Amino acid sequence: SQQSARIAIVEDSPLQAELLKRVLSEKGYAVEVARDGAEGLELVRRIKPDLVVSDVVMPEMDGYDLCRAIKRDRALSGVPVLLLTSLDDPEDIIRGLDSQADNYLTKPYEEERLLARVEQLLTNQELRRGPRSGKGVEIFYARRRRNINVGNRQILDLLMSTFEDAVHQNGRLKERTEEL
């Protein structure tokens, strides 16, 4: 069942890793933690989780490189990857697409939003296990031509999650502005 899904957390901050583990474990998920991207890749290869939740900014192997390595591995390519990031640069979206990430969640995040995102990814996981559609999309952004080799559903999910987070962050900013 979804509630017994295995989740690999890859986070270099012990505090953030412990928080993530607690929130997800309390919902019944089986959670294992790795402290960096290289250790995370080892963990993912060993346990073949149902979902990977990874920080983007980590020493040595960052979240994008970890995601890319997972998606290139035939045995793991169907495992969805949720990246945790500050998402303060539109280039982050391109990097996420390029690494074939499945979803973004911006920091700081509320527990409910994390849990909703995890549930959404686990629910959609079976759809992702099918063959990728198309040969990718060529775009021109920031004076560079890029080919994003990822399925349309994944592009839509990633962009929708990014947009949803932007709207949510904007709402929080408005609330804070009104408070001031």
Side-chain angles (χ1 to χ4, degrees):
S1 90
Q2 187 173 306
Q3 289 300 295
S4 61
R6 284 171 312 174
I7 299 176
I9 294 171
V10 186
E11 169 64 72
D12 62 321
S13 159
L15 183 65
Q16 288 297 314
E18 192 52 44
L19 179 69
L20 280 165
K21 184 173 183 173
R22 181 185 55 77
V23 169
L24 295 169
S25 296
E26 283 175 1
K27 285 294 176 186
Y29 297 115
V31 181
E32 291 203 41
V33 178
R35 289 183 298 265
D36 60 50
E39 187 182 308
L41 187 56
E42 267 178 48
L43 174 66
V44 171
R45 286 181 173 147
R46 185 168 47 81
I47 71 170
K48 295 195 176 37
D50 298 297
L51 174 66
V52 174
V53 178
S54 177
D55 187 19
V56 166
V57 180
M58 295 183 289
E60 293 177 56
M61 178 186 252
D62 69 14
Y64 297 121
D65 289 335
L66 171 64
C67 186
R68 210 171 277 113
I70 291 168
K71 297 301 181 175
R72 280 191 195 129
D73 185 323
R74 272 216 161 111
L76 303 172
S77 63
V79 176
V81 178
L82 168 61
L83 295 176
L84 303 175
T85 177
S86 60
L87 251 190
D88 49 15
D89 180 354
E91 187 74 29
D92 292 341
I93 298 167
I94 300 294
R95 286 187 202 106
L97 285 169
D98 189 48
S99 68
Q100 298 185 15
D102 296 278
N103 222 291
Y104 268 124
L105 188 62
T106 52
K107 293 178 176 183
Y109 53 84
E110 286 94 21
E111 289 180 13
E112 300 78 38
R113 290 178 58 71
L114 170 71
L115 292 169
R117 219 34 90 69
V118 165
E119 184 181 347
Q120 173 193 357
L121 279 164
L122 291 170
T123 302
N124 287 333
Q125 184 178 21
E126 287 309 308
L127 294 174
R128 280 198 177 67
R129 290 221 157 120
R132 296 215 191 272
S133 56
K135 296 242 190 262
V137 179
E138 190 170 42
I139 65 166
F140 188 77
Y141 175 79
R143 297 186 173 137
R144 285 179 48 207
R145 186 182 304 256
R146 304 149 191 256
N147 189 52
I148 309 294
N149 190 16
V150 65
N152 292 339
R153 176 172 280 117
Q154 210 169 345
I155 290 172
L156 184 60
D157 284 353
L158 186 72
L159 292 177
M160 290 306 296
S161 67
T162 305
F163 179 71
E164 183 183 328
D165 269 3
V167 168
H168 181 76
Q169 296 287 9
N170 192 40
R172 289 175 60 200
L173 283 173
K174 283 182 182 174
E175 286 172 18
R176 288 192 179 127
T177 303
E178 288 168 9
E179 287 171 11
L180 292 174

